[in-house]
């Protein structure tokens, strides 16, 4: 039975209804499947002006739909409204390898999280994080080696950054029902997106109010007590357009101690104040209450993947994870107790609030100036193991830029120049969790006061050299300042005499990121593209104070990770029914930041691998081979190895091991998502359809020595859906769907954090049989689940 777990202070928002230019923006978007790349927006019609502009906007004239990725090359060279040109820098920058996932690909299924939609893009890998909708998102393996959250890529929501200045993103606030499209930008992208964009960027685009044009209510429910009630409302009126999304999702979870209760609000409103000025307001709020299981070792996963029979540590079934807690809350003088996640009450109690504003001013039909400000507050209470992280992380992000479309020596040109500043200051505590249940807190373990500040400049030029050839050049410069003061507390004796150890850090990093790209449109069927670009990502302040043991200490020598990447690709669109895109890439990393689990649950250790290489192939295909029939595929091959790295492991003495040639742990070498679907296009059964989907993830190494391997898996999902228009004064459409996930009830690893190698006193590396007992690594994936849903649109 479903259990409700109420949380005080659920989010609420009053929707203001209005209009802006966003509807014409939405109508101009290309709605191609995962193989596609988002096209630049069509020319935006300008209201009548009080004075003539210096140059009229040229009309676009493609004779046929352009190939994937070709749209960005050919379309961007046309003279479109400069505001739309600026939008496309988030959605489809010319020369970039990218994919746009359109709403049509997930509108007829119960999409609970980003994991249900992002797999439609090549280059994407997903792993379960610490929470129901918390997923690690990787582009080309960028985040697969990180212990929690999302690192090494930058995330936007309608062009507003939701990656904080310290580089951390979380996907808890993302409910796919809210979005009309998702842009996946792949490869090193710091020239345009700055710090942390070593893997690329994501831009989630909510549905403009004019496309909703009313109210939609939906509900999804199914196995393990899952229930999600959601609402979308939007309208265009005059010069104002607004859209509101709100959802309430709850469930018991399929693993012991994994129930959840989360509410999300996402609002976007734009006002066309004058023919030259637009104001956009953005609000996102997410409240999360969730219980968390303990990550397992591989042996525990094989014994008890879903953590059943784990009520208490004393009576726990084989394979149950436990944490060791101080009975007195500060040291072992009064003894310790091994408790399960249920017994200790481990979980997360978080709130995330993002408020943003944007002002765009058109100087003329060719030049737009944009100013954008975002306040982003992440408030956490996370008793995820033997300690709990508690803190408030408010950040401020300001950017200003100018986009000008014109010509240079008769060649169409788009020039961009901008500056930015963002900062985060926080004081966060780590407290011991003690027995007593419900995550009872003991004494302070450590306090970290930190500031992270980034500021810099970016410039970019896109030049159409000929009717078939477009060149792109860009550069970004950035200064990052990290300061931190970590105070570690230790307690001796039964009275808990307190001593402190203070470690400080004051680091400044200077980074520059150039990029070059060429796009060549051979004919109406073929486009070729090549790109060389750079990325960089500085460590987080918290990384500077964690030792391999998980204890607080000095790790302040960490350096910026940098990568230089080469992309070469081709896009083939022989007709409107077939689209194929293939990309090969080769990236060279210096001082790559790699994280691995420590003996302390929930704590990761980060180090620099001096040199490594990432190479791979991405393939996307979409084929409408018969009326109503459609086949799509997204495949990624990754080969990522250390080329310079000597690991030191201590066991009484220090022993060194050369990891050159070893695979970087956490990276699955092959991932594939395929879908075969049918939709009845006419007749009495019009609107009835379904699909079968197969997901394959190859096994991967979990440790630097490549001794222990997480098993791969194949999953099969089945979907049946029906969409129909309604003849009514009040209703517009009805959408029904049911889905069976993991049809064959496969038990699989949904997440495996990297683990630490160990040695004997003689300096011999412990074999896989020993490493298989390393805890704090694995979450199991969902067993067979049934989910059904309905959505009704009101006029």
């Amino acid at each position: 039975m479903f259990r409700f777990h109420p949380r005080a202070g659920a989010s609420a928002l009053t929707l203001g209804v209005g209009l802006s230019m966003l509807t014409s923006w939405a109508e101009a978007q290309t709605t191609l499947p995962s193989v596609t790349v988002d096209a630049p927006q069509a020319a935006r019609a300008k209201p009548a002006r009080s004075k003539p502009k210096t140059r009229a906007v040229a009309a676009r004239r493609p004779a046929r739909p352009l190939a994937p990725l070709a749209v960005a090359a050919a379309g961007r060279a046309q003279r479109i409204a400069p505001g739309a040109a600026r939008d496309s820098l988030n959605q489809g920058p010319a020369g970039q390898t990218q994919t746009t996932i359109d709403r049509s690909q997930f509108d007829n299924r119960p999409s609970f999280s980003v994991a249900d939609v992002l797999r439609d893009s090549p280059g994407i890998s997903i792993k379960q994080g610490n929470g129901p909708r918390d997923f690690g998102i990787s582009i080309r393996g960028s985040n697969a080696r990180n212990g929690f959250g999302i690192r090494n890529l930058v995330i936007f929501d309608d062009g507003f950054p939701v990656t904080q200045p310290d580089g951390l993103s979380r996907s808890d606030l993302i409910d796919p029902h809210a979005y009309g499209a998702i842009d996946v930008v792949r490869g090193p992208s710091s020239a345009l997106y700055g710090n942390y964009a070593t893997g690329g960027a994501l831009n989630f685009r909510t549905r403009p109010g004019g496309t909703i044009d009313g109210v939609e209510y939906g509900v999804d429910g199914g196995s393990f007590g899952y229930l999600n009630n959601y609402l979308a409302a939007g309208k265009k009126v005059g010069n104002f357009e607004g859209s509101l999304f709100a959802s309430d999702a709850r469930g018991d979870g399929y693993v012991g101690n994994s129930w959840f209760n989360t509410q999300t609000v996402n609002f976007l409103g734009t006002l066309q104040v004058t023919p030259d000025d637009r104001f956009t307001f953005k609000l996102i709020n997410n409240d999360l209450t969730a219980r968390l299981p303990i990550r397992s070792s591989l042996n525990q996963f094989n014994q008890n993947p879903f953590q059943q029979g784990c009520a208490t540590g004393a009576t726990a079934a084989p394979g149950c994870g436990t944490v060791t807690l101080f009975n007195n809350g500060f040291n072992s003088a009064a003894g310790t107790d091994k408790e399960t996640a249920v017994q200790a009450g481990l979980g997360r109690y978080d709130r995330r609030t993002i408020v943003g504003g944007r002002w765009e001013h058109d100087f003329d039909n060719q030049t737009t100036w944009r100013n954008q400000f975002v306040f982003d507050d992440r408030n956490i209470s996370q008793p995820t193991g033997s300690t709990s992280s508690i803190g408030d992380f408010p950040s401020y992000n300001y950017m200003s830029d100018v986009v000008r479309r014109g010509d240079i020596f008769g060649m169409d040109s788009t020039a961009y120049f901008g500056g930015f500043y963002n900062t985060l200051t926080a004081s966060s505590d780590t407290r011991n969790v003690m027995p007593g249940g419900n995550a009872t807190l003991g004494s302070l373990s450590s306090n970290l006061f930190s500031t992270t500040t980034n500021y810099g400049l970016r410039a970019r030029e896109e030049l159409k050299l000929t009717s078939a050839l477009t060149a792109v050049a860009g550069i970004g410069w950035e200064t990052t300042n990290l300061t931190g003061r970590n105070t570690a507390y230790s307690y001796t004796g039964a009275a808990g005499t307190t001593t402190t150890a203070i470690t400080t850090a004051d680091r400044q990093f200077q980074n520059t990121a150039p990029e070059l790209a060429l796009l060549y449109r051979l004919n109406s069927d073929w486009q070729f593209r090549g790109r060389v670009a750079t990325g960089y990502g500085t460590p987080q302040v918290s990384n500077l104070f964690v030792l391999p043991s998980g204890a607080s200490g000095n790790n302040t020598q960490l350096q910026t990770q940098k990568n230089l990447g080469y992309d070469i690709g081709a896009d083939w669109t022989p007709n409107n029914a077939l689209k194929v895109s293939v990309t090969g890439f080769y990236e060279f990393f210096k001082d790559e930041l790699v994280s691995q689990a420590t003996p302390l649950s929930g704590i990761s250790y980060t180090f620099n691998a001096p040199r490594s290489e990432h190479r791979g192939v991405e393939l996307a295909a979409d084929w409408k081979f018969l009326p109503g029939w459609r086949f799509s595929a997204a495949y990624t091959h990754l080969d990522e190895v250390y080329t310079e790295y000597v690991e030191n492991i201590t066991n009484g003495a220090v022993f060194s091991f050369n990891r050159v040639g070893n695979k970087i742990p956490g990276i699955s070498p092959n991932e594939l998502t395929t879908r075969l679907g049918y939709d009845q296009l006419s007749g009495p059964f019009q609107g009835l359809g379904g699909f079968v989907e197969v997901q394959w993830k190859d096994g991967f190494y979990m440790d630097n020595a490549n001794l222990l391997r997480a098993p791969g898996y194949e999953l099969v999902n089945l979907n049946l859906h029906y969409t129909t228009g309604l003849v009514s004064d009040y209703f517009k459409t009805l959408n029904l769907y049911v889905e069976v996930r993991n049809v064959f009830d496969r038990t699989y690893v949904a997440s495996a954090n990297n683990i630490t190698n160990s040695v004997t006193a003689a300096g011999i590396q412990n074999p896989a049989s020993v490493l298989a007992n390393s805890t704090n690594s694995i979450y199991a994936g969902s067993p067979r689940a049934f989910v059904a849903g309905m959505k009704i649109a009101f006029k």
Side-chain angles (χ1 to χ4, degrees):
M1 296 295 293
F2 175 75
R3 302 195 303 271
F4 282 87
H5 305 281
R7 176 178 175 85
S11 305
L13 180 68
T14 301
L15 172 63
V17 184
L19 169 68
S20 75
M21 305 305 290
L22 289 177
T23 294
S24 59
W25 164 78
E27 293 169 350
Q29 301 306 301
T30 304
T31 55
L32 298 177
S34 63
V35 67
T36 70
V37 173
D38 188 42
Q41 299 169 15
R44 179 166 52 193
K46 300 278 290 181
R49 307 293 302 260
S50 59
K51 57 182 180 180
K53 292 297 182 183
T54 58
R55 185 181 298 271
V57 179
R60 305 180 69 183
R61 55 177 186 87
R64 50 173 285 175
L66 296 179
L69 289 161
V71 181
R76 291 181 64 83
Q78 307 297 323
R79 290 197 181 96
I80 62 177
R86 180 57 188 83
D87 289 338
S88 67
L89 292 177
N90 286 115
Q91 300 167 17
Q96 190 84 43
T97 303
Q98 59 182 20
T99 300
T100 288
I101 302 170
D102 185 77
R103 183 179 179 84
S104 62
Q105 295 170 249
F106 55 87
D107 195 32
N108 290 318
R109 68 183 309 178
S111 300
F112 167 66
S113 70
V114 292
D116 298 324
V117 295
L118 285 182
R119 286 191 176 97
D120 288 339
S121 170
I124 288 283
S125 180
I126 303 289
K127 71 175 184 178
Q128 179 66 52
N130 296 333
R133 285 201 312 228
D134 183 50
F135 284 84
I137 305 171
S138 297
I139 299 178
R140 298 179 175 177
S142 59
N143 189 61
R145 49 203 178 272
N146 188 50
F148 72 97
I150 303 169
R151 292 275 291 169
N152 304 318
L153 58 95
V154 177
I155 299 180
F156 300 88
D157 199 295
D158 292 319
F160 292 91
V162 295
T163 297
Q164 288 200 296
D166 63 352
L168 182 65
S169 307
R170 304 299 289 254
S171 62
D172 303 292
L173 50 76
I174 300 172
D175 188 323
H177 297 97
Y179 298 100
I182 305 165
D183 306 300
V184 182
V185 178
R186 309 196 295 276
S189 304
S190 291
L192 188 57
Y193 302 123
N195 202 357
Y196 315 114
T198 51
L202 298 173
N203 183 41
F204 291 84
R205 286 186 273 144
T206 57
R207 301 164 64 193
T211 64
I212 301 172
D213 194 28
V215 177
E216 296 178 0
Y217 168 74
V219 58
D220 296 344
S223 300
F224 314 114
Y226 171 58
L227 182 67
N228 186 359
N229 286 281
Y230 59 93
L231 175 79
K235 202 73 175 177
K236 291 175 57 179
V237 177
N239 291 332
F240 191 59
E241 180 178 39
S243 62
L244 169 71
F245 174 82
S247 71
D248 178 278
R250 303 161 184 251
D252 295 326
Y254 57 87
V255 178
N257 201 60
S258 64
W259 64 258
F260 62 90
N261 178 346
T262 182
Q263 293 78 39
T264 302
V265 170
N266 195 325
F267 174 76
L268 179 72
T270 301
L271 175 66
Q272 184 84 32
V273 184
T274 73
D276 296 325
D277 296 280
R278 296 169 298 280
F279 288 97
T280 301
F281 175 75
K282 182 73 174 180
L283 171 67
I284 306 174
N285 190 84
N286 174 254
D287 287 282
L288 170 66
T289 300
R291 291 297 178 95
L292 289 183
I294 298 170
R295 288 181 178 266
S296 304
S297 68
L298 184 58
N299 282 341
Q300 289 173 324
F301 166 79
N302 290 329
Q303 288 179 303
N304 191 353
F306 304 113
Q307 298 287 293
Q308 300 301 299
C310 302
T312 66
T315 62
C320 290
T322 60
V323 292
T324 301
L325 306 180
F326 297 131
N327 287 333
N328 59 14
F330 53 84
N331 66 14
S332 59
T336 60
D337 189 27
K338 287 187 178 295
E339 298 196 354
T340 65
V342 175
Q343 186 179 6
L346 304 185
R348 286 180 58 198
Y349 311 95
D350 298 353
R351 175 186 55 78
R352 183 82 179 272
T353 302
I354 299 172
V355 180
R358 181 164 59 226
W359 169 45
E360 295 174 284
H361 173 73
D362 296 339
F363 289 110
D364 52 42
N365 274 355
Q366 295 176 282
T367 309
T368 292
W369 179 31
R370 182 192 71 153
N371 291 276
Q372 180 171 284
F373 177 79
V374 174
F375 170 73
D376 184 344
D377 185 33
R378 174 168 48 98
N379 192 297
I380 68 169
S381 177
Q382 299 177 349
T384 59
S386 57
T387 60
S388 176
S389 297
I390 304 169
D392 189 26
F393 299 83
S395 65
Y396 306 87
N397 190 313
Y398 173 72
M399 59 182 68
S400 180
D401 53 53
V402 175
V403 173
R404 179 171 177 79
R405 302 189 67 89
D407 60 74
I408 298 177
F409 302 116
M411 297 178 289
D412 288 341
S413 163
T414 300
Y416 162 79
F417 181 79
F420 58 93
Y421 173 88
N422 54 73
T423 186
L424 183 155
T425 300
S427 178
S428 58
D429 291 338
T430 301
R431 303 188 72 92
N432 293 310
V433 175
M434 61 185 295
N438 200 30
T440 301
L441 297 181
S443 299
L444 191 63
S445 174
S446 67
N447 169 266
L448 173 60
F449 179 82
S450 64
T451 62
T452 302
T453 301
N454 305 283
Y455 58 88
L457 301 171
R458 298 167 189 154
R460 180 181 177 90
E461 173 63 38
E462 301 170 13
L463 195 62
K464 190 169 185 181
L465 303 176
T466 70
S467 59
L469 183 64
T470 299
V472 180
I475 191 167
W477 166 84
E478 187 165 357
T479 294
T480 299
N481 291 311
L482 304 180
T483 63
R485 185 177 187 271
N486 188 75
T487 305
Y489 294 83
S490 59
Y491 305 88
T492 56
T497 302
T498 305
T499 58
T500 59
I502 297 176
T503 307
T504 62
D506 189 354
R507 303 288 307 278
Q508 183 178 91
F509 304 91
Q510 298 271 352
N511 291 294
T512 303
E515 70 167 326
L516 295 170
L518 287 174
L519 294 157
Y520 178 61
R521 182 74 174 173
L522 177 64
N523 52 41
S524 60
D525 294 346
W526 286 96
Q527 176 186 262
F528 300 93
R529 46 194 161 78
R531 180 174 183 262
V532 55
T534 51
Y536 56 85
T538 58
Q540 291 178 279
V541 177
S542 58
N543 300 151
L544 305 178
F545 303 107
V546 179
L547 300 176
S549 64
S552 294
N554 192 328
N555 194 31
T556 57
Q557 78 287 343
L558 288 177
Q559 301 295 318
T560 299
Q561 80 170 6
K562 300 179 181 180
N563 60 326
L564 170 65
Y566 299 87
D567 280 28
I568 187 167
D571 309 296
W572 181 47
T573 310
N575 51 56
N576 290 331
L578 178 62
K579 308 174 184 69
V580 180
S581 176
V582 62
T583 302
F585 66 88
Y586 208 126
E587 299 179 9
F588 298 87
F589 274 77
K590 180 181 179 182
D591 294 324
E592 182 174 6
L593 291 166
V594 182
S595 295
Q596 59 193 28
T598 70
L600 298 183
S601 178
I603 305 298
S604 296
Y605 165 70
T606 300
F607 62 91
N608 287 116
R611 295 190 184 276
S612 55
E613 294 180 7
H614 302 186
R615 51 250 178 163
V617 176
E618 299 163 338
L619 174 67
D622 181 53
W623 185 24
K624 300 174 184 177
F625 54 95
L626 288 172
W629 287 92
R630 184 174 184 176
F631 171 79
S632 63
Y635 169 72
T636 305
H637 171 71
L638 298 176
D639 181 19
E640 305 190 358
V641 298
Y642 294 122
T643 55
E644 181 186 340
Y645 175 41
V646 174
E647 183 176 16
N648 296 320
I649 303 177
T650 301
N651 186 1
V654 178
F655 303 94
S656 299
F657 300 92
N658 191 347
R659 305 305 190 194
V660 172
N662 285 15
K663 304 293 185 182
I664 298 174
I667 308 296
S668 175
N670 297 286
E671 295 197 43
L672 172 69
T673 297
T674 63
R675 187 181 302 152
L676 176 64
Y678 175 77
D679 285 281
Q680 182 65 32
L681 302 179
S682 60
F685 296 104
Q686 181 178 355
L688 182 65
F691 62 79
V692 58
E693 179 182 73
V694 178
Q695 298 172 0
W696 170 48
K697 186 181 180 76
D698 204 355
F700 54 90
Y701 290 111
M702 299 171 61
D703 64 302
N704 287 326
N706 292 175
L707 300 176
L708 187 66
R709 191 176 178 91
Y713 60 84
E714 306 85 25
L715 302 179
V716 176
N717 305 319
L718 291 177
N719 173 282
L720 183 66
H721 55 262
Y722 176 67
T723 302
T724 183
L726 300 176
V727 180
S728 168
D729 293 334
Y730 304 102
F731 306 104
K732 291 193 293 185
T733 59
L734 175 67
N735 191 344
L736 304 172
Y737 44 81
V738 62
E739 193 158 303
V740 185
R741 298 183 175 178
N742 193 1
V743 172
F744 298 106
D745 203 21
R746 180 74 181 271
T747 301
Y748 66 99
V749 173
S751 174
N753 285 346
N754 299 347
I755 62 173
T756 305
N757 289 102
S758 59
V759 297
T760 66
I764 305 300
Q765 292 188 102
N766 285 314
S769 58
V770 174
L771 296 180
N773 292 313
S774 299
T775 56
N776 305 320
S777 177
I778 292 175
Y779 280 145
S782 173
R784 183 190 298 119
F786 299 86
V787 187
M790 62 83 66
K791 180 176 59 182
I792 188 166
F794 299 85
K795 293 182 179 178

